[in-house]
Amino acid sequence: MEFTDLNIDCLLKIFSFCSESDLFNLCRVHSFLRNVIEMHIFQLQSLDLLMCGHRNFPKIIDRTHIIMSFEDRVKVAANWLSGRYREQQYFRRSKMFATKLVLERDWLYLTFGCYLSKHRRLKIEPLQRRYFCEITTGNKADLADFVKRNDTIFAGRVSGSCFIYEEEYATEQQLHNPKEYLRCVNFFGGIYATSTDNCSRLWQRTEELGLLHLDQIMEFNESFKALQFNTDGKKLYGGMYTSVNRRALREIDMESEFQRILNSKTISVYDLKLKDDNIIFTANFDTSFRLYDRRTDKDECVWEDPFDSSFYCLDYDGLYAVLCGTKYHSRVNLYDIRVPNKYMQLYFPRVEPRRRDDLKSSPVYSLACDSRYLFIATDRTLHVLDFKVSCAATKDYRNIFQEMYRI
């Protein structure tokens, strides 16, 4: 009788005495053992992992280019927590620019100047350096923000002009005064939202004789830094750039046009993401990342940056992990929303100075992630951290302050 002839229950009892490294080695011994360990051990272990969990199929799975096995999920999640990764740098620019990113399973979209470039994702490396196509119009003003839903792209320029890109054709329209500085855009269905440093407006999409046009339906005096529709498009959430009474988070009802001031005690919201119709994550100027609950109308949990740095952007994996980009040193913080008042890891992209200006600190203007890669947009470079590695230096900053005190 061979070892592989044992039934599943006997094998699992034997495997319960094995360490994790032993299980990894057993997966290489025999395909049958690998299948047993994958389906009965690693599948359960990887359900709720940070960045690699698969319970209820979180949205990060839709962004992951290559499907990962349960064994790989366990290994990669351990690398996220320990800070083991390989870094690559793309698109070195001589001109500083606040790049915006949107990540999909097969494509990465990023802005630079007046162009929105589309790059194909590859199996052997994070993405193709040569763009697949560039999306722009005759307007040469810089792009401030853009949103992509399905096959529609809505982008806004700092001059107040916006364009809708569909079926390889762009329609541009001047929506705000050119003297106003456009900060953010968003859309859901036929409703489009824009905000400048002076006001915010909602637009209704209309089409007649094959021509697309946006008609204004609402206007608000508030200036928002971030806008986000909920899952059904009936609510619009906005983060104000500055709030005198420290209530920068707002909710707008699309049917009644009523604007509700939410009880989130922050002076400025730089970015926001929705976990669901009740939970809102906000990245704030006051060095905090907050979890706001509409049901209790308060911040249920607040995480402070360990170095008192403002949060510029954030990304959510759809389960428990939140990544926040900070103002200084291109640093990204990893948080677990199940663990209050504590960061799980810090990531510092590598700096390779070619000029004296390169030694200056850069904010993280935008970030995007899947289960394997972390894309970090700084003022001159796109940094890509690959966590599916077995041989790489470990940059573990979970106990950075204890190490400093020890020195």
Side-chain angles (χ1 to χ4, degrees), residues 266-282:
T266 178
I267 192 173
S268 179
V269 176
Y270 281 172
D271 195 9
L272 65 88
K273 293 288 189 296
L274 270 63
K275 181 179 185 293
D276 50 41
D277 286 339
N278 294 312
I279 304 297
I280 304 173
F281 300 121
T282 59

Side-chain angles (χ1 to χ4, degrees), residues 219-233:
E219 182 171 352
F220 303 94
N221 294 327
E222 289 77 13
S223 173
F224 296 108
K225 178 66 174 175
L227 292 168
Q228 189 74 37
F229 284 94
N230 69 343
T231 54
D232 58 7

Side-chain angles (χ1 to χ4, degrees), residues 148-206:
K148 184 178 185 296
R149 294 182 185 273
N150 299 324
D151 296 327
T152 302
I153 296 176
F154 181 48
R157 302 184 185 275
V158 295
S159 60
S161 176
C162 300
F163 68 84
I164 299 174
Y165 181 81
E166 290 178 328
E167 298 179 354
E168 301 183 358
Y169 182 77
T171 302
E172 187 158 13
Q173 183 177 342
Q174 188 72 36
L175 302 182
H176 289 268
N177 191 314
K179 294 183 179 180
E180 299 177 10
Y181 187 93
L182 189 138
R183 286 180 170 148
C184 60
V185 299
N186 211 313
F187 76 99
F188 186 93
I191 304 297
Y192 291 73
T194 59
S195 181
T196 66
D197 56 358
N198 184 54
C199 66
S200 302
R201 294 173 180 172
L202 294 179
W203 309 81
Q204 177 69 54
R205 172 174 174 161
T206 59

Side-chain angles (χ1 to χ4, degrees), residues 36-186:
V36 172
I37 296 173
E38 272 272 308
M39 301 307 299
H40 294 85
I41 299 179
F42 287 149
Q43 182 183 19
L44 298 177
Q45 289 184 2
S46 60
L47 274 175
D48 299 316
L49 294 175
L50 287 184
M51 306 303 299
C52 297
H54 55 89
R55 185 187 295 273
N56 299 327
F57 297 97
K59 59 184 180 182
I60 196 171
I61 294 180
D62 296 332
R63 300 196 299 253
T64 303
H65 183 56
I66 301 177
I67 298 176
M68 300 172 61
S69 65
F70 298 126
E71 177 189 2
D72 288 337
R73 290 182 182 277
V74 173
K75 292 180 179 179
V76 173
N79 289 341
W80 278 95
L81 288 176
S82 63
R84 180 181 290 111
Y85 56 84
R86 180 175 62 249
E87 180 180 348
Q88 293 179 261
Q89 296 184 8
Y90 290 79
F91 317 127
R92 169 70 190 179
R93 315 286 192 183
S94 59
K95 175 186 175 182
M96 292 190 295
F97 185 77
T99 296
K100 299 294 183 180
L101 303 174
V102 168
L103 182 67
E104 294 183 344
R105 181 185 295 271
D106 299 317
W107 305 98
L108 174 70
Y109 298 83
L110 60 91
T111 60
F112 181 77
C114 62
Y115 295 97
L116 172 61
S117 57
K118 178 180 179 181
H119 295 263
R120 187 187 300 275
R121 301 187 63 187
L122 306 175
K123 294 183 179 180
I124 57 176
E125 60 177 324
L127 70 156
Q128 195 170 25
R129 294 182 181 271
R130 175 68 178 177
Y131 60 81
F132 177 79
C133 69
E134 278 190 331
I135 302 170
T136 188
T137 61
N139 194 329
K140 298 303 179 183
D142 289 346
L143 289 171
D145 192 19
F146 78 100
V147 177
K148 184 178 185 296
R149 294 182 185 273
N150 299 324
D151 296 327
T152 302
I153 296 176
F154 181 48
R157 302 184 185 275
V158 295
S159 60
S161 176
C162 300
F163 68 84
I164 299 174
Y165 181 81
E166 290 178 328
E167 298 179 354
E168 301 183 358
Y169 182 77
T171 302
E172 187 158 13
Q173 183 177 342
Q174 188 72 36
L175 302 182
H176 289 268
N177 191 314
K179 294 183 179 180
E180 299 177 10
Y181 187 93
L182 189 138
R183 286 180 170 148
C184 60
V185 299
N186 211 313

Side-chain angles (χ1 to χ4, degrees), residues 120-362:
R120 187 187 300 275
R121 301 187 63 187
L122 306 175
K123 294 183 179 180
I124 57 176
E125 60 177 324
L127 70 156
Q128 195 170 25
R129 294 182 181 271
R130 175 68 178 177
Y131 60 81
F132 177 79
C133 69
E134 278 190 331
I135 302 170
T136 188
T137 61
N139 194 329
K140 298 303 179 183
D142 289 346
L143 289 171
D145 192 19
F146 78 100
V147 177
K148 184 178 185 296
R149 294 182 185 273
N150 299 324
D151 296 327
T152 302
I153 296 176
F154 181 48
R157 302 184 185 275
V158 295
S159 60
S161 176
C162 300
F163 68 84
I164 299 174
Y165 181 81
E166 290 178 328
E167 298 179 354
E168 301 183 358
Y169 182 77
T171 302
E172 187 158 13
Q173 183 177 342
Q174 188 72 36
L175 302 182
H176 289 268
N177 191 314
K179 294 183 179 180
E180 299 177 10
Y181 187 93
L182 189 138
R183 286 180 170 148
C184 60
V185 299
N186 211 313
F187 76 99
F188 186 93
I191 304 297
Y192 291 73
T194 59
S195 181
T196 66
D197 56 358
N198 184 54
C199 66
S200 302
R201 294 173 180 172
L202 294 179
W203 309 81
Q204 177 69 54
R205 172 174 174 161
T206 59
E207 294 186 41
E208 185 176 357
L209 300 177
L211 299 178
L212 189 152
H213 192 267
L214 297 179
D215 299 321
Q216 182 178 331
I217 56 176
M218 295 187 210
E219 182 171 352
F220 303 94
N221 294 327
E222 289 77 13
S223 173
F224 296 108
K225 178 66 174 175
L227 292 168
Q228 189 74 37
F229 284 94
N230 69 343
T231 54
D232 58 7
K234 295 182 179 180
K235 303 285 186 181
L236 175 64
Y237 297 96
M240 294 180 61
Y241 189 74
T242 302
S243 175
V244 178
N245 59 358
R246 299 187 67 86
R247 296 293 188 275
L249 188 60
R250 304 297 173 91
E251 177 188 85
I252 301 173
D253 187 272
M254 302 304 297
E255 294 181 358
S256 64
E257 303 183 12
F258 175 74
Q259 182 178 165
R260 176 188 171 197
I261 301 176
L262 303 182
N263 189 31
S264 180
K265 300 178 181 179
T266 178
I267 192 173
S268 179
V269 176
Y270 281 172
D271 195 9
L272 65 88
K273 293 288 189 296
L274 270 63
K275 181 179 185 293
D276 50 41
D277 286 339
N278 294 312
I279 304 297
I280 304 173
F281 300 121
T282 59
N284 307 288
F285 168 78
D286 60 3
T287 74
S288 68
F289 152 59
R290 297 170 181 265
L291 186 153
Y292 170 83
D293 194 332
R294 292 179 62 250
R295 294 164 292 191
T296 58
D297 193 24
K298 67 177 183 179
D299 295 319
E300 290 296 339
C301 196
V302 179
W303 290 265
E304 297 285 345
D305 183 70
F307 297 99
D308 294 328
S309 176
S310 298
F311 289 121
Y312 270 42
C313 57
L314 62 85
D315 198 10
Y316 173 53
D317 74 338
L319 203 57
Y320 302 112
V322 177
L323 291 161
C324 295
T326 62
K327 182 178 180 180
Y328 297 113
H329 308 298
S330 308
R331 174 168 50 88
V332 176
N333 299 0
L334 174 64
Y335 293 97
D336 186 343
I337 61 176
R338 300 167 294 184
V339 182
N341 305 321
K342 181 182 179 182
Y343 66 88
M344 306 308 294
Q345 190 55 268
L346 306 177
Y347 308 110
F348 293 85
R350 183 176 69 251
V351 177
E352 295 181 351
R354 300 181 182 178
R355 302 185 311 175
R356 181 173 299 180
D357 292 341
D358 294 346
L359 297 174
K360 296 181 180 179
S361 175
S362 169

